[in-house]
């Protein structure tokens, strides 16, 4: 069955939103007057996006589209891809117009920002404050997503499809707009708490704002060349770990936390699984660092806790360079980056819920072979919404996603060995970071990185942020729509 629907108004709203977001970094110019020379680099892309969005909205209201779409998923996937493509392009323009980066580098920085990855080709020690804030603000907004921000202001019949298509599986409230506003309220509440904690710990206000935005969005852009490790402060490390774990926690679970429903939070399978993973990976990584780098026990566990939390939450803050890390410790980080954070959070990766479901399916399969044929047990897990059965549909969807993710990881890794001329281990680390939208780097991604390598990583970041299938569905839908129109 085909339906008639106009997507133009949604495109226009998204273009207006992106134009406004790109203008936000201008608020710091009064505090850093030396950056006033770069104001025009932000004004032109912002005005262009706002003007173009206004025209599209007006045309969309006056002229209903007669193009017939096959499904709501087709419409939604194309709209989401358009929003992210437009956001990347407009977000890259300030870097290009100011001469800070080349075209490919600017696109890379913009993709890394909006997708909350954190891999960077900028020398932050020589980057003006307005661009440092622009990168961090892109990550903060990218954690929520363009559709989430639009839903907070307006809601139409297609909003729920768009909301799901962008990777938000849970409704916290009966009303979708209330859900979006609840998430935004929590997000901003944690932002102010994080900024205050960092300032008390001795961080400057500018650095505190940037690092809190990037920690909560599990982004990882830093204003410091050596990331959080440059501060050499235990209190700043602990605050960052807490913010990273908050950012990687499902929004629905965070809603339970704000309501002080501790028992329900403790029952959530993903929460228990996250702490189990930390209990397993942190000691192994710590002992590897202690024996391989001759670290003290306290220092080894501190470094391990920070970097494993950063990798598992897909944030990407680092405490030190990884070039001298032992192979076992590097392997632990690759595994944690592949596993990723919580589903329905700002994190990337396969997601802990999917890994947990795969483990349950595997254990059930083993039990099935060991127990008598009549003894059949139904597997289940606990979400924030309650007990959920692991049925055949959920098992198939999970298996399909995990296998697709691992296939892309293998392909991307092999491509990096060709384009970057690096070892297999280095390529595995860097592409796991790109696909998982993590941002940790073993040294491949830098201002000197070639365009081919940056393109491979950009593709990985986009596929990882939009959870693979939406990109494929969107690309297929665009090709199908063009064929039908022609």
């Amino acid at each position: 069955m085909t339906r008639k629907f106009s997507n133009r108004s949604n495109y226009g709203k998204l273009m207006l939103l992106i134009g406004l977001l790109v203008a936000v970094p201008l608020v710091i110019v009064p505090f850093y007057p030396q950056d006033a020379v770069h104001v025009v680099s932000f004004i032109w892309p912002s005005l262009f996006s706002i003007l173009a969005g206004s025209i599209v909205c007006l045309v969309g209201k006056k002229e209903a589209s007669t193009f017939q779409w096959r499904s709501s998923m087709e419409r939604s996937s194309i709209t989401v891809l358009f929003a992210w493509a437009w956001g990347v392009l407009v977000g890259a323009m300030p870097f290009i117009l100011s001469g800070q980066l080349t075209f490919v580098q600017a696109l890379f920085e913009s993709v890394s920002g909006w997708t909350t990855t954190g891999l960077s080709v900028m020398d932050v020690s020589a980057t003006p404050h307005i661009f440092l804030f622009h990168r961090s603000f892109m990550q903060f907004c990218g954690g929520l997503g363009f559709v989430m921000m639009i839903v907070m202001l307006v809601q139409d019949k297609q909003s729920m499809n768009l909301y799901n298509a962008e990777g938000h599986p849970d409704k916290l409230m009966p009303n979708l707009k209330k859900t979006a506003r609840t998430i935004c309220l929590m997000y901003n509440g944690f932002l102010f708490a994080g900024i205050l904690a960092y300032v008390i710990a001795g961080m400057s206000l500018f650095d505190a704002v940037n690092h809190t935005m990037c920690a909560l969005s599990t982004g990882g852009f830093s204003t410091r060349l050596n990331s959080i490790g440059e501060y050499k402060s235990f209190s700043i490390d602990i605050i960052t770990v807490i913010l990273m774990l908050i950012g990687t926690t499902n929004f629905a679970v965070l809603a339970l936390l704000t309501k002080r429903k501790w028992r329900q939070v403790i029952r959530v399978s993903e929460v228990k699984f996250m702490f189990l993973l930390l209990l397993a990976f942190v000691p192994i990584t710590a002992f590897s660092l202690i024996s391989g780098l001759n670290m003290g026990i306290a220092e080894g566990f501190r470094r391990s806790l920070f970097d494993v939390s950063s990798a598992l939450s897909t944030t990407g803050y680092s405490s030190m360079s990884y070039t001298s890390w032992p192979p076992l410790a590097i392997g632990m980080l690759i595994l944690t980056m592949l596993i990723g954070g919580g589903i329905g959070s700002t994190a990337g990766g396969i997601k802990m819920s999917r890994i947990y479901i795969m483990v349950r399916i595997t254990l059930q399969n083993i039990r099935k072979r060991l127990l008598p044929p009549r003894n059949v047990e139904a597997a289940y897990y606990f979400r924030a919404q309650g007990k959920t059965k692991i049925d055949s549909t959920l098992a198939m969807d999970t298996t399909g996603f995990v296998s697709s993710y691992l296939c892309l990881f293998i392909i991307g890794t092999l491509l990096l060995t060709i384009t970057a001329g690096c070892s297999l281990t280095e390529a595995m680390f860097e592409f796991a970071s790109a696909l998982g939208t993590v941002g940790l780097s073993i040294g491949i991604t830098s201002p000197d990185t070639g365009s081919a390598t940056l393109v491979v990583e950009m593709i990985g970041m986009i596929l990882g942020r939009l959870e693979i299938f939406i990109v494929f569905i969107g690309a297929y839908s665009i090709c199908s729509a063009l064929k039908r129109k022609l």
Side-chain angles (χ1 to χ4, degrees):
M1 179 181 176
T2 58
R3 299 176 185 177
K4 295 182 180 180
F5 194 90
S6 175
N7 261 3
R8 290 177 183 172
S9 61
N10 283 324
Y11 292 155
K13 292 170 191 173
L14 289 163
M15 293 163 79
L16 279 167
L17 173 68
I18 290 164
L20 293 170
L21 295 178
V22 171
V24 169
L26 295 174
V27 301
I28 74 160
V29 173
F31 303 98
Y32 300 96
Q34 67 272 21
D35 288 354
V37 293
H38 301 297
V39 165
V40 175
S41 301
F42 287 85
I43 288 176
W44 285 121
S46 175
L47 288 178
F48 171 70
S49 189
I50 290 170
L51 180 61
S54 301
I55 293 170
V56 171
C57 281
L58 289 172
V59 172
K61 285 181 180 179
K62 292 180 180 179
E63 183 183 338
S65 174
T66 57
F67 190 81
Q68 296 187 342
W69 300 93
R70 289 178 178 174
S71 69
S72 60
M73 178 57 76
E74 187 178 78
R75 291 195 306 270
S76 301
S77 59
I78 292 176
T79 305
V80 168
L81 284 189
F82 170 81
W84 284 86
W86 186 263
V88 165
L89 181 62
V90 177
M93 291 308 295
F95 297 116
I96 298 169
L97 294 175
S98 63
Q100 294 286 317
L101 299 171
T102 66
F103 179 73
V104 175
Q105 287 178 327
L107 284 180
F108 180 88
E109 204 73 12
S110 183
V111 170
S112 187
W114 292 121
T115 60
T116 72
T117 302
L119 289 170
S120 180
V121 292
M122 298 193 80
D123 178 5
V124 295
S125 61
T127 302
H129 291 84
I130 193 170
F131 290 101
L132 293 175
F133 185 86
H134 176 50
R135 296 158 76 239
S136 302
F137 190 67
M138 281 194 293
Q139 290 203 327
F140 186 68
C141 297
L144 284 174
F146 298 122
V147 171
M148 173 82 81
M149 287 183 281
I150 281 291
V151 169
M152 281 188 290
L153 305 173
V154 241
Q155 187 179 346
D156 59 25
K157 293 179 180 178
Q158 202 189 359
S159 293
M160 190 64 206
N161 294 324
L162 290 171
Y163 180 82
N164 290 330
E166 200 180 35
H168 307 292
D170 296 318
K171 278 180 65 179
L172 276 61
M173 307 287 286
N175 180 282
L176 183 57
K177 188 181 287 190
K178 287 183 179 179
T179 292
R181 288 178 179 173
T182 300
I183 290 173
C184 184
L185 187 64
M186 288 192 298
Y187 206 49
N188 284 290
F190 288 126
L191 173 67
F192 288 117
I195 292 171
L196 181 62
Y198 272 139
V199 170
I200 292 171
M203 195 180 279
S204 71
L205 180 60
F206 180 78
D207 284 359
V209 170
N210 283 269
H211 284 111
T212 306
M213 286 196 292
C214 296
L216 285 176
S217 61
T218 61
F221 276 149
S222 178
T223 56
R224 301 288 177 156
L225 192 62
N226 297 314
S227 191
I228 295 294
E230 190 161 317
Y231 292 97
K232 297 178 181 178
S233 167
F234 180 71
S235 57
I236 286 176
D237 284 359
I238 294 300
I239 291 167
T240 307
V241 168
I242 292 169
L243 290 173
M244 290 190 296
L245 294 181
I246 289 172
T248 200
T249 302
N250 188 317
F251 285 127
V253 175
L254 291 177
L256 292 177
L257 278 173
T258 58
K259 295 173 184 176
R260 299 181 182 179
K261 296 183 178 180
W262 312 113
R263 289 184 180 179
Q264 285 180 250
V265 171
I266 294 169
R267 291 185 71 189
V268 175
S269 300
E270 190 174 63
V271 173
K272 291 190 287 187
F273 191 56
M274 177 177 71
F275 286 106
L276 182 64
L277 289 172
L278 289 173
L279 284 172
F281 283 103
V282 169
I284 295 172
T285 307
F287 286 123
S288 176
L289 294 176
I290 292 165
S291 59
L293 300 180
N294 295 318
M295 280 187 181
I297 295 175
E299 180 70 7
F301 271 91
R302 175 184 165 183
R303 300 281 188 182
S304 176
L305 174 64
F306 185 92
D307 288 277
V308 169
S309 298
S310 182
L312 186 64
S313 66
T314 73
T315 304
Y317 281 140
S318 58
S319 65
M320 60 185 295
S321 171
Y322 300 117
T323 53
S324 60
W325 272 38
L328 177 59
I330 291 293
M332 292 297 102
L333 290 189
I334 292 173
L335 280 175
T336 49
M337 286 192 288
L338 287 174
I339 292 169
I343 200 163
S345 70
T346 63
I350 294 173
K351 303 289 175 63
M352 287 183 283
S353 275
R354 293 192 180 102
I355 298 296
Y356 179 81
I357 290 168
M358 290 293 290
V359 170
R360 290 299 305 273
I361 292 170
T362 303
L363 292 175
Q364 187 183 28
N365 190 274
I366 293 171
R367 285 175 63 83
K368 185 179 177 182
R369 296 171 189 278
L370 296 175
L371 296 173
R374 293 181 181 178
N375 195 340
V376 179
E377 296 181 0
Y380 62 87
Y381 72 113
F382 285 94
R383 300 164 59 210
Q385 292 79 7
K387 189 174 179 179
T388 304
K389 184 181 177 181
I390 303 176
D391 56 20
S392 58
T393 302
L394 179 60
M396 188 179 294
D397 289 345
T398 303
T399 305
F401 182 88
V402 173
S403 58
S404 300
Y405 193 96
L406 293 177
C407 284
L408 284 171
F409 171 64
I410 293 168
I411 294 168
T413 296
L414 295 176
L415 285 174
L416 278 191
T417 60
I418 298 169
T419 61
C422 58
S423 69
L424 183 62
T425 302
E426 290 172 332
M428 288 174 68
F429 188 100
E430 208 77 4
F431 196 73
S433 181
L435 187 61
T437 67
V438 181
L440 294 176
S441 178
I442 203 166
I444 293 174
T445 308
S446 71
D448 301 321
T449 303
S451 295
T453 299
L454 296 182
V455 169
V456 172
E457 290 181 354
M458 277 192 278
I459 293 170
M461 288 188 282
I462 292 167
L463 286 168
R465 174 59 180 85
L466 296 179
E467 300 229 307
I468 302 172
F469 293 132
I470 287 300
V471 179
F472 290 158
I473 292 168
Y476 175 80
S477 300
I478 290 169
C479 293
S480 298
L482 289 173
K483 284 181 182 178
R484 295 202 301 276
K485 203 162 188 177
L486 295 173

